[in-house]
Amino acid sequence: MIEGAALGARGTLGLAWRLARRELRGGFAGLRIVIACLALGVAAIAAVGTLRAATEAGLAEDASRLLGGDLEIRSTYQPLPPEGRAWIAARGGRLSEVVQMRAMAIGPSGERSLVELKAVDGAYPLYGALVLDPPVPQGGLMPGGLMPGGLMMDRSIVERLGLKPGDEVRIGEARFPLRAVIVTEPDKVATPAIFGPRAMIPLADVERTALIQPGSMVAYEYRVALPAGADARGFAAALRTQPFADGGWRIRVADQAAPSVTRFVDQAASFLVLAGLTALLVGGIGVATGVRAWLEARARTIATLRCLGAPANLIFATYFAQVMVLAAIGIGIGLVAGYALTWAAASALAGALPVPPRLGLYPWPLALAAIYGLLTALAFSLWPLGRARDIPGAALFRTGLAAPTVRPRLSLVAANAAAALALVGLVVATADRPMFAAWFCLGALATLGMFRLGASLLMAAARAMPRLRMPSVRLGLANLHRPGAPTPIMLVALGIGLTTLAAVAMIEGNLRRQIAESLPEAAPSFYFIDIQADQAEAFDATARALPGVTEVERVPSLRARIVAVDGVPVEQMVVSPETAWALRGDRGLTYTAKMPEGTRLVAGAWWPEEYAGPPLVSFDAGLAAGWGLQLGGTITVNVLGRDIELKVASLRDVAWRSLGINFTLVASPGLLSSAPHTNIATVRNAPGQDTAVLRALTDAFPNISGIRVRDALEAVASLLGRLGTALSSTAAVTLLAGMLVLAGAVAAGQARRVRDAVVLKTVGALRSQIRAAYLVEFGVLGLASGLLAAVAGTIAAWGVVRFVMHADWVFLPGTLASVVGLCLLLTLGFGYVGTSLALRARPAPLLRNE
Amino acid sequence: MTDSTPPLIDARDLSFTVGTAGGPVNILRGVSLTIRPGESVGIVGPSGSGKTTLLMLLAGLERATGGALRVAGLDLGALDEDALARFRRDRLGIVFQAFHLIPTMTALENVAVPLEFAGRRDAFDRAAAALQSVGLGHRLDHYPGQLSGGEQQRVALARAIVGEPQLILADEPTGNLDRGNGTAVMDLLFGLQRDSGTTLLLITHDAALAARCARQIRIEDGRIASDSAVLAEAA
């Protein structure tokens, strides 16, 4: 007899490692699904993370170029006073002045378009280069490359107006010969041309256009290049304290060049990461089933080892080591693939990204993706591993199906729960919007539970079916509930992939609909801006007299910057994240004595028509709630450099989506009516009259610009479309993961399917009958998961549209039907392939005695 | 029974060759054989002699590479895969050493399946009766994994006889069973054959079992080495 000493912990690990290696030497075909599932999910997350890091690095590195200077002072309506220029120059700052406004550009043919006009001085650009086509010839030019009297425009508008170099374009009251096409505008990210293409003229020529009139919507931007080593923030802080400084100024330093872009990148990335996590979740199911099947195939080996005296911990350590080795391989492949994908995505998205991403190795997003992968592997493999640990040696002597259901021991259940919790914790902690991420995790869990429950119900229903006359249908339905049937795994894997797809499709569909379909009845045809007070009456009369015009509405329009609420400066305010936007930049402000039609007051009352007291304001109820602002509170706004305190008299529900004239702030007349300001008008006209209306009004009033609502919405729609494409492709990764798991489940059952098909053929079943039985099985499975995915996807999309995007919800049956249809096609496709392969098997070799 | 009854099995110069990496291997080399309805035939021979291949050819599960084979009046060489399946469904019952039950179907479902595919409305009633006749009336809803080897083979037997076939092919039906269970299954098989007058072709290397058949054929190296019927005729 051999005396054995108890194995120490180190001995166990060493032996487990040797056993694990010995077994993996024989190949790990059964665990390839584990590798593939982890690789796919990790790749998606690594790619999104790297792309985000690269984009942000691109933004940071080029910050000065993007902003146009180390520092920018932006003022609406009023230029920088001479003291300001002197102050900056005295501190070694180089100044460049840019004036921006919207204007109409009218070609020689009379064809016209709204442009974002930018008048730049000779110092422009302080950083980077303005690239023009044709390139500017040497000599006789201003330092910035702009010729006096010349006009530069984006290629899109040059083409739309059918212009050749030298053609004269009218802007406001002035005419400019077209000198060149703008190829690259270095500071485009920080000052994007939103409503129309860019047009550029020298600053010296801006006066000729006569576009700058009292109250016109003009932004003055002063970019400052600081001497090397100067502290931009300190400079900005000192500037703010100067007596000439204006409360209405917005001062940005280079590292905040594009806060809105950064915000957009952060939010888009965090949505994409969640979509990637869904892929990983589906992959996790693949891991669980792959590991389970692998261990089931090794049940005899495990029982044999147990008979030979292997302790349970050794068994656990052996198989844990195997799974972890393969998980590491999967994660490694995922990281490499994800990194490679970043490059592919960067080139595919070249036009859509705000800056060219600075591709490089960013360790943090890769590490995060690896941790996600590892936690997923742990969370989904510990349970089956724990069960294998407790397979008794006696199992060797049992035959057949009746595998004992072993529950893993408590410590392993606890470890499994800890891994799952850590996964959730990591998702929430690294999310841009933790609350949303928490809801996402809860939703994912609920969806998982729903599909598992759905599978149980489907199996119970199949079991309860009365015996059907058609043998193929009976057999197909019976296959759904047979012992060891893969119904739950198939339903869950396919279902979650499709739920993501359904949700994304519905969200996208809702956004598109909101833009495209709510338009015809609700929206006006045009906004006209910069209508001077002395033009107002004439504008109304001219517009109303035009054929096809059905409605003209006009209100005074001022731009105001909110500087304090209830006496608290905005920098010190604590507001809800959804309402923070309203504190950045300018807000629209109008005044009126009468309550506008369709106003929905939720609190307070409108002022009397003849009211002449201190200024009152009716404010957006949603913003007020987010800021903790009550009736009777005060909002201090800066209008044209002057601070005005407005008392909140009422709160309104603002229906932004009506696309009519909406203002955050509606004030009582009086004080504000005396401030220089312009008017804004909406014009509604018969379809097909757009061109004529725009032409007539902008010919009559050269300083007035018309914005075609449809054009503006199309610009927004195309932006959303790009985001939608990114989301859809990430959802597609989830579906791909689902298909992988489905394929894995089909493949795992393939040996059984082949054997069954052979036996059925032997006892006289026709191929068509066998195929029909499998198609019934897969068809019902596909239909069930498609329908469940439709329900879950609808709920998820509804939640996102209503509570994250704060938009109206529309149910889109067509979109859902295509998701269910896709599901059915997928499962039938997989089923058909699996069955055809099974039917092709020759019976004799399988039937011979073993 | 007279010589004028048409034979149930009529094999002429059957051969079966498979191509392997090492060149073609002849498994059957010209087997000619006539079996009349109601006969019980034991086929014996050493492992690898071609017994099972002969059974596969008779069942239409393999195709002969040479010669002619008619079973129950049908030229098996001329039938396509589905026609062969119909032939098995309507005329044949097969019992294998490894049972070949579908593990995810209950005993009742396993037995009913061929009748279901034949479109018989009474499939489940007849299957229950067949299981009853093999002494498993109390195990209808058990899965094969929940049955002993002997019980599983009795389910296979019930499946083979449930369609009242003209021919039962049995390939080492007791090979996986202990002596007691083996004897019980064989008693059952011979009893059913005797009662229904079905033709039985039994492959075995158990000489004692073969001896219970009215006729014994010995196959060696792909050829018929001896046939008791021929010997009797010669005597």
Side-chain angles (χ1 to χ4, degrees), chain A residues 229-293:
Chain A
D231 165 30
R233 278 175 195 280
F235 190 94
L239 179 60
R240 252 185 246 279
T241 60
Q242 297 308 305
F244 55 81
D246 186 324
W249 285 1
R250 181 174 70 161
I251 303 179
R252 294 192 286 181
V253 295
D255 59 4
Q256 334 164 292
S260 60
V261 173
T262 314
R263 228 175 4 256
F264 174 78
V265 169
D266 284 351
Q267 288 190 356
S270 88
F271 272 105
L272 292 176
V273 163
L274 290 184
L277 280 171
T278 320
L280 198 57
L281 176 71
V282 176
I285 297 158
V287 169
T289 42
V291 169
R292 202 180 66 187

Side-chain angles (χ1 to χ4, degrees), chain A residues 474 761 842 844 848-849, chain B residues 53 62 81 88 97 104 116:
Chain A
R474 192 195 74 75
K761 276 201 281 189
R842 277 177 57 225
R848 282 173 184 279
N849 299 334
Chain B
T53 301
E62 292 274 28
E81 207 181 317
R88 285 191 292 271
Q97 176 179 352
T104 53
E116 276 192 278

Side-chain angles (χ1 to χ4, degrees), chain B:
Chain B
M1 207 180 307
T2 65
D3 281 2
S4 62
T5 344
L8 186 70
I9 297 173
D10 185 11
R12 298 278 150 101
D13 200 22
L14 274 188
S15 62
F16 187 75
T17 306
V18 287
T20 67
V25 174
N26 299 313
I27 297 174
L28 290 181
R29 314 156 176 253
V31 170
S32 293
L33 179 68
T34 308
I35 294 174
R36 302 202 172 276
E39 274 192 278
S40 68
V41 182
I43 295 185
V44 292
S47 295
S49 58
K51 303 187 300 291
T52 297
T53 301
L54 179 61
L55 180 135
M56 293 288 170
L57 294 182
L58 294 176
L61 291 166
E62 292 274 28
R63 284 178 190 280
T65 47
L69 175 61
R70 294 184 78 82
V71 180
L74 296 168
D75 175 5
L76 295 197
L79 300 184
D80 68 10
E81 207 181 317
D82 280 343
L84 285 171
R86 268 188 220 105
F87 152 74
R88 285 191 292 271
R89 187 183 77 195
D90 300 336
R91 327 228 171 185
L92 216 61
I94 315 179
V95 183
F96 298 97
Q97 176 179 352
F99 324 138
H100 291 309
L101 298 174
I102 294 186
T104 53
M105 289 189 191
T106 61
L108 184 66
E109 287 178 308
N110 263 295
V111 177
V113 138
L115 296 182
E116 276 192 278
F117 283 124
R120 298 277 287 259
R121 291 181 171 209
D122 54 355
F124 285 90
D125 295 338
R126 294 178 67 96
L131 281 165
Q132 199 87 46
S133 74
V134 298
L136 287 177
H138 58 300
R139 297 279 203 189
L140 301 185
D141 292 327
H142 284 60
Y143 287 99
Q146 299 165 324
L147 300 172
S148 73
E151 286 172 324
Q152 290 189 52
Q153 193 58 302
R154 281 192 275 157
V155 174
L157 208 55
R159 182 178 64 185
I161 59 161
V162 73
E164 295 172 346
Q166 287 170 277
L167 172 65
I168 295 177
L169 299 174
D171 186 8
E172 302 277 12
T174 59
N176 278 2
L177 304 178
D178 59 47
R179 182 172 289 275
N181 268 313
T183 310
V185 164
M186 287 322 294
D187 288 349
L188 206 53
L189 183 58
F190 281 114
L192 291 166
Q193 189 260 334
R194 204 173 39 242
D195 296 346
S196 58
T198 307
T199 310
L200 171 68
L201 201 131
L202 170 70
I203 288 177
T204 179
H205 36 230
D206 180 348
L209 207 54
R212 291 180 67 175
C213 296
R215 175 179 170 192
Q216 293 94 38
I217 294 173
R218 183 167 187 80
I219 293 190
E220 277 173 19
D221 198 19
R223 294 193 180 86
I224 294 185
S226 68
D227 185 338
S228 65
V230 181
L231 292 175
E233 231 164 76

